[in-house]
Amino acid sequence: MSHTEYAGFLPLAHLPVLLATLMEQGYSCLGPVVENGAIVMRELAACDAVPRGMQASQAPGRYQLGRDPHNRYFAWANGPQAIKPLAFAPQETLWNVQRDEHGKLAFEAVMPDPPRQAIIGVRACDLAALALQDAHFLRDGRRDAHYAQRRDRQFLVAVQCAEPAATCFCASTGDGPTPTAGYDLALAELPEGFVVQAGTAKGAAVLSALQLVPATPYQIEAANQQGQAAAASQTRALPGRNLREVLMRQLEHPRWDEVAARCLACGNCTAVCPTCFCHAEADVPALDGQSSQHERVWDSCFGEAHGHLHGFNVRPDIRSRYRQWLTHKLATWHDQFGRSGCVGCGRCIAWCPVGIDLTEEVAALTAGSTP
Ligand code: SF4
Ligand code: SF4
C-alpha cells in the first residue's frame, strides 16, 4: 500500500472477526453476493458470509462470472453496482404535500432512515467516484440532506484490486488500483491474510478493537508490489488526465456520427457510471387531488426528454447526446470539479450492450492531437 501509517495483519481465516467487530459496533455489513449473474453489494446474513473464489471476466459488452483458481476473497473486479446507489438512491421521495380542508398546503420532508452500513470490498475507483458525488451533493450551500444522511452512516472497507478486469483503466486516471483516500479501513489481500490500514478515526477504532499484530515489512512490500503489478497489468488507458482542450476542439469530428450509428441511447453507461449524478424530479399526485409526493429518480443525458428546454430539444439526436456525455465527463467536468469525471472503472465499457469502448472513442477523437 502506498502510505506508511500503522498497518496490522489479519490472517485470512479471521476475516469473519472483522465483520463480527463491525456488527458489534452497530453496523450492518454489505458485501459481494451474486445476483442475476453479477456481483453486487447486498447485506450479508452473517459475519462468515463473504464468499470466496468469485471472479468475473469483462470485455466490451461482456461480463461473465467464473471461479478464481486461487480462491481469494476479493479477486473480482467491480461489478455493475458502484457505491453510488447506496448514497444517491435511484428513486426516492423527497417530500410530501397535503391539502387541508381549507385548501392550505402542508409540506413535509421525507427523510431516509438507513441503518449504519459497513460496505466490504469497495474499490479505489469507487472511492474516487464517491468523492466526486460528495463534491456535487455536499457542496457548500447546497448540501443534499437525503444523500448526506446515507453517507454519514457509511463505513467503507476498501480493498486493493489485485486483478483488474480487462476493461479497467484506473491507473491512467490516477484513481487506482490501490486505495489511497476516502476509506475507513483498507485491506490488501495476500495469500496468507490481509494487510489492514485505517484511514479515519472510525477505522482506527475498529482496527484497535481487532488487536492485530503489526504487518511485517515483507507483507507491506508484498502489498505494494501487488498494487504496482495490478496497475501495470491494465491494458486500457486514457491518453491524458485532462482532455478538456483537445476534446473541445473536436466537437465536429466525424467520429461522433460513427459512434452515434452504433449507440442505442439506452443509458446503461450512465446508470452504471459511479460519477453520473443527473436526475429528474416529478410530482406524483394522489388520485383524490389532496396530496402528492415529490420524487427524484436517476436520469440520463441519453434520454430524449433530458434535453427538452422550454419547447425545444437541445440534444435532438444520439450524436449530440453521446457527445454531451463524453465531453461533460472528460472535458467540462474540469470546469465544475477541477478534474475529469472518469475514474477508470470501465463499467460503461462492459455494460454497454453494443460494446462501445470509451477509451477507443477517445483515442479516435484525439488521434494526432496533443492533450
Ligand atoms: S465514464 Fe465509464 S469508466 Fe469512467 S467512471 Fe464512468 S463508467 Fe467508469
Ligand atoms: S454508449 Fe452504450 S450504454 Fe451508453 S447509451 Fe450508447 S448503447 Fe447505451
Side-chain angles (χ1 to χ4, degrees), residues 99-185:
R99 194 202 313 268
D100 69 14
E101 62 270 24
H102 307 296
K104 197 171 167 205
L105 300 180
F107 290 82
E108 181 192 26
V110 179
M111 291 303 298
D113 187 18
R116 294 169 74 217
Q117 286 181 331
I119 307 168
I120 319 293
V122 182
R123 303 312 168 110
C125 58
D126 280 343
L127 293 171
L130 212 48
L132 282 167
Q133 295 269 314
D134 287 354
H136 175 69
F137 285 109
L138 304 179
R139 63 194 187 276
D140 282 348
R142 290 289 184 91
R143 187 177 166 85
D144 185 279
H146 293 72
Y147 178 92
Q149 187 96 314
R150 293 191 181 87
R151 280 289 282 128
D152 286 348
R153 298 184 188 184
Q154 288 178 344
F155 184 100
L156 302 176
V157 181
V159 173
Q160 180 194 56
C161 269
E163 222 164 307
T167 42
C168 294
F169 55 98
C170 63
S172 76
T173 65
D175 297 305
T178 296
T180 55
Y183 57 79
D184 294 296
L185 280 182

Side-chain angles (χ1 to χ4, degrees), residues 290-355:
Q290 297 307 302
S291 65
S292 74
Q293 293 181 328
H294 189 81
E295 296 204 335
R296 173 165 70 187
V297 293
W298 286 4
D299 202 358
S300 169
C301 51
F302 282 94
E304 188 180 357
H306 197 75
H308 274 299
L309 276 188
H310 303 290
F312 72 104
N313 197 315
V314 291
R315 290 185 288 276
D317 50 26
I318 294 179
R319 174 186 183 274
S320 54
R321 288 178 222 151
Y322 188 88
R323 189 178 69 176
Q324 159 65 22
W325 180 65
L326 197 80
T327 54
H328 182 212
K329 189 73 58 187
L330 298 178
T332 53
W333 207 289
H334 286 273
D335 302 333
Q336 275 180 291
F337 299 107
R339 62 154 291 169
S340 148
C342 177
V343 296
C345 73
R347 289 185 175 94
C348 58
I349 302 172
W351 295 92
C352 172
V354 293

Side-chain angles (χ1 to χ4, degrees), residues 14-265:
H14 291 186
L15 184 62
V17 179
L18 167 61
L19 272 72
T21 305
L22 288 164
M23 288 176 181
E24 273 163 31
Q25 295 197 7
Y27 292 102
S28 63
C29 288
L30 270 65
V33 302
V34 174
E35 192 175 282
N36 298 322
I39 298 169
V40 292
M41 293 293 184
R42 293 285 181 265
E43 185 161 351
L44 300 169
C47 58
D48 59 355
V50 179
R52 290 182 73 170
M54 294 194 299
Q55 214 163 27
S57 69
Q58 304 188 43
R62 184 173 174 277
Y63 177 96
Q64 177 83 51
L65 279 183
R67 294 293 303 171
D68 167 35
H70 306 294
N71 201 32
R72 288 164 290 183
Y73 278 104
F74 298 104
W76 46 276
N78 266 324
Q81 181 199 7
I83 306 307
K84 178 170 87 169
L86 302 172
F88 168 33
Q91 178 166 16
E92 68 181 321
T93 301
L94 300 184
W95 69 77
N96 287 331
V97 56
Q98 184 81 37
R99 194 202 313 268
D100 69 14
E101 62 270 24
H102 307 296
K104 197 171 167 205
L105 300 180
F107 290 82
E108 181 192 26
V110 179
M111 291 303 298
D113 187 18
R116 294 169 74 217
Q117 286 181 331
I119 307 168
I120 319 293
V122 182
R123 303 312 168 110
C125 58
D126 280 343
L127 293 171
L130 212 48
L132 282 167
Q133 295 269 314
D134 287 354
H136 175 69
F137 285 109
L138 304 179
R139 63 194 187 276
D140 282 348
R142 290 289 184 91
R143 187 177 166 85
D144 185 279
H146 293 72
Y147 178 92
Q149 187 96 314
R150 293 191 181 87
R151 280 289 282 128
D152 286 348
R153 298 184 188 184
Q154 288 178 344
F155 184 100
L156 302 176
V157 181
V159 173
Q160 180 194 56
C161 269
E163 222 164 307
T167 42
C168 294
F169 55 98
C170 63
S172 76
T173 65
D175 297 305
T178 296
T180 55
Y183 57 79
D184 294 296
L185 280 182
L187 313 180
E189 184 174 9
L190 301 177
E192 69 279 21
F194 301 93
V195 175
V196 189
Q197 286 180 298
T200 60
K202 273 191 301 183
V206 173
L207 189 55
S208 152
L210 287 170
Q211 299 187 326
L212 302 179
V213 296
T216 64
Y218 169 79
Q219 289 164 334
I220 292 171
E221 181 54 25
N224 276 336
Q225 285 187 13
Q226 181 166 263
Q228 287 162 15
S233 75
Q234 294 185 4
T235 52
R236 285 183 162 75
L238 288 178
R241 292 191 187 168
N242 189 344
L243 302 172
R244 189 191 186 289
E245 299 309 319
V246 64
L247 281 175
M248 295 311 274
R249 288 200 302 270
Q250 305 298 348
L251 294 181
E252 301 307 325
H253 196 290
R255 186 74 181 194
W256 301 116
D257 292 309
E258 200 275 337
V259 68
R262 288 178 285 136
C263 174
L264 308 173

Side-chain angles (χ1 to χ4, degrees), residues 1-23:
M1 313 186 92
S2 60
H3 30 85
T4 54
E5 65 261 35
Y6 173 79
F9 189 75
L10 180 74
L12 217 53
H14 291 186
L15 184 62
V17 179
L18 167 61
L19 272 72
T21 305
L22 288 164
M23 288 176 181

